[in-house]
């Protein structure tokens, strides 16, 4: 690799490196200094709390908004049970994946900077290509889902104010396209932040915002239950014959599984987050602790928000809790909650985009050595900004593409289900399990090996069922859909 690429990696503390070649590692004397880690890169500074904030930013996103709807499809028994099941699966497989950050010894083994690096060094072969396809398509789908969700929340703010001013007489229907464009323009600006390690502050702000709107959603659900004095809903969920047919019940139940899977999805960026963590203690130990904290926090919020939303609305629980008709009063509180969602999704978009940015830019730098040249632009009172023309153009095109696709397919609930279903099994279960088996050299057909394979197969079945239901939902939406025309 050319020398200028290596220097850039050191100066910018580039945390996403796709090819972990020896040429990327500086001399031994440099790697053993107080300023550099064992791989010759600038000392990582992440802790349990920064890792937790990254995870919470990635996990408590738009997924929490669809949980009341998901529980309405499953009912009081299956709904919370499925949520707990997904939380335990995520907790277990995240622990397996955290052990894959270093190949071999957990304290001194070779670092894997990305999910794909881990698959490459531990499994190799066709697994690398399959992992890349699933990971980057999943990331791409997630940022599209976040663009849709942010625009819905911005539209909800406008609608609630319109609804309030008209005294409830005007339904205030409007398009979300303008708000998708505004969100996209914001992301174009923020996408010029070079790498993951430099957006810790954005993740921290986003994590605070996620707590804000989750608390508001919970409080509104409690208030609604207190107002009516009853807990709505049933043990088996939405009833057949009343609101939905038997076929629709099956599709909706399947889609609910996908929605809950999406709500817990963050394995796709786990290794990248782990690469920001300092050591000692070992990165795996820190990451497992951060995972436990994050999953405990998110599951508590999910249970409270999902269950209270279902208790408030029953079978009529909306696909997006905060945009439900019954929540337009107090309108100012809804505005705060929806504004918090928008700010959170601005940060979450960057968390999920950074691996894609890093992958493309690394590949480009390998093919065209001078493409990563930077031009210093003086800024009065601040350090000069390092402009990279390729980064500017490519990241801008990426954001524009995700925005246009979001405008073409503004089906928040169904898109969330499809993304959750397609990404859950391969990224959250299959690869972590297979890498764990390989790392620990678990004998084939041993009790441990059989147990892990049964676990993986069960999760595959759930993913297939969820994918079928979610795709069916998208197809139903397409029947009554006009391109670039989304009214709320």
């Amino acid at each position: 690799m050319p020398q200028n690429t290596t220097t850039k990696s050191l100066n910018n503390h580039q945390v996403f490196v796709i090819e972990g070649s020896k040429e990327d590692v500086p001399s031994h004397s440099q790697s053993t200094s107080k300023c550099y880690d064992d791989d010759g890169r600038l000392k990582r500074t992440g802790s349990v709390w920064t890792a937790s904030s990254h995870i919470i930013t990635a996990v408590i996103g738009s997924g929490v908004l669809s949980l009341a709807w998901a529980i309405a499809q499953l009912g009081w028994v299956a709904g919370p049970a499925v949520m707990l099941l997904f939380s335990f699966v995520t907790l277990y497989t995240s622990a397996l994946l955290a052990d894959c950050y270093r190949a071999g010894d957990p304290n001194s083994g070779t670092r894997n900077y990305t999910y794909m690096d881990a698959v490459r060094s531990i499994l190799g072969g066709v697994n690398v290509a399959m992992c890349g396809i699933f990971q980057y398509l999943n990331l791409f789908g997630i940022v599209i889902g976040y663009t849709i969700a942010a625009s819905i929340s911005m539209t909800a703010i406008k609608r609630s104010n319109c609804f309030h001013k008209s005294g409830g007489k005007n339904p205030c229907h409007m398009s979300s396209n303008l708000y998708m464009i505004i969100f996209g323009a914001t992301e174009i600006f923020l996408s010029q932040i070079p790498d993951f390690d430099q957006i810790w502050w954005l993740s921290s702000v986003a994590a605070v915002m996620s707590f804000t709107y989750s608390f508001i959603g919970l409080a509104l659900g409690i208030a609604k239950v207190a107002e009516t004095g009853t807990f709505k809903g049933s043990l088996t969920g939405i009833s057949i014959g009343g609101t939905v047919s038997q076929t629709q019940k099956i599709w909706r139940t399947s889609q609910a599984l996908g929605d809950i899977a999406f709500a817990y999805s963050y394995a796709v960026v786990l290794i990248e987050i782990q690469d920001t963590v300092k050591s000692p203690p070992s990165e795996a130990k820190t990451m497992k602790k951060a995972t436990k904290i994050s999953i405990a926090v998110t599951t508590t919020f999910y249970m409270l928000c999902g269950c209270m939303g279902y208790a408030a609305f029953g079978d009529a629980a909306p696909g997006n809790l905060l945009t439900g008709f019954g929540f337009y009063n107090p309108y100012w509180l809804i505005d705060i909650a929806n504004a918090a969602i928008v700010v959170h999704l601005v940060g979450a978009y960057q968390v999920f985009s950074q691996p894609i940015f890093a992958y493309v830019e690394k590949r480009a730098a390998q093919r065209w050595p001078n493409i990563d040249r930077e031009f210093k632009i003086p800024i009065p009172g601040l350090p000069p900004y390092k402009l990279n023309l390729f980064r500017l153009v490519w990241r801008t095109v990426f954001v524009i593409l995700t925005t246009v696709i979001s405008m073409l397919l503004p089906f928040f609930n169904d898109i969330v289900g499809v993304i959750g279903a397609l990404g859950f099994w391969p990224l959250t279960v299959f690869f972590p399990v297979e890498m764990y088996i390989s790392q620990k050299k678990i004998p084939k057909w041993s009790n441990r090996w059989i147990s892990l394979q049964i676990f993986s197969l069960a999760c595959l079945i759930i993913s297939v069922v969820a994918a079928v239901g979610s795709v069916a939902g998208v197809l139903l939406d397409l029947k009554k859909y006009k391109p670039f025309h989304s009214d709320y």
Side-chain angles (χ1 to χ4, degrees), residues 157-172:
I157 294 172
K158 185 76 174 173
R159 284 192 69 191
S160 67
N161 284 279
C162 168
F163 190 77
H164 175 74
K165 286 178 182 176
S166 68
K169 295 175 183 176
N170 186 349
C172 300

Side-chain angles (χ1 to χ4, degrees), residues 32-105:
T32 55
S33 75
K34 291 181 180 179
C35 297
Y36 297 91
D37 276 325
D38 55 358
D39 60 344
R41 299 196 177 186
L42 288 173
K43 278 280 186 186
R44 292 158 176 84
T45 58
S47 64
V48 169
W49 302 112
T50 61
S52 296
S53 71
H54 279 313
I55 295 170
I56 290 169
T57 299
V59 178
I60 301 185
S62 51
V64 73
L65 305 175
S66 64
L67 290 179
W69 181 90
I71 292 179
Q73 312 315 308
L74 299 168
W76 280 118
V77 177
V82 168
M83 210 175 290
L84 281 174
L85 173 67
F86 274 100
S87 69
F88 284 123
V89 168
T90 305
L91 184 64
Y92 178 65
T93 57
S94 294
L96 300 184
L97 190 54
D99 284 330
C100 299
Y101 173 66
R102 286 185 183 266
D105 189 274

Side-chain angles (χ1 to χ4, degrees), residues 66 151 174 213 270 307 372 377:
S66 64
S151 71
M174 57 188 67
Y213 67 73
L270 186 145
C307 291
D372 59 353
I377 300 176

Side-chain angles (χ1 to χ4, degrees), residues 118-129:
V119 173
R120 181 182 291 108
S121 67
I122 298 170
L123 299 177
V126 70
N127 290 293
V128 182

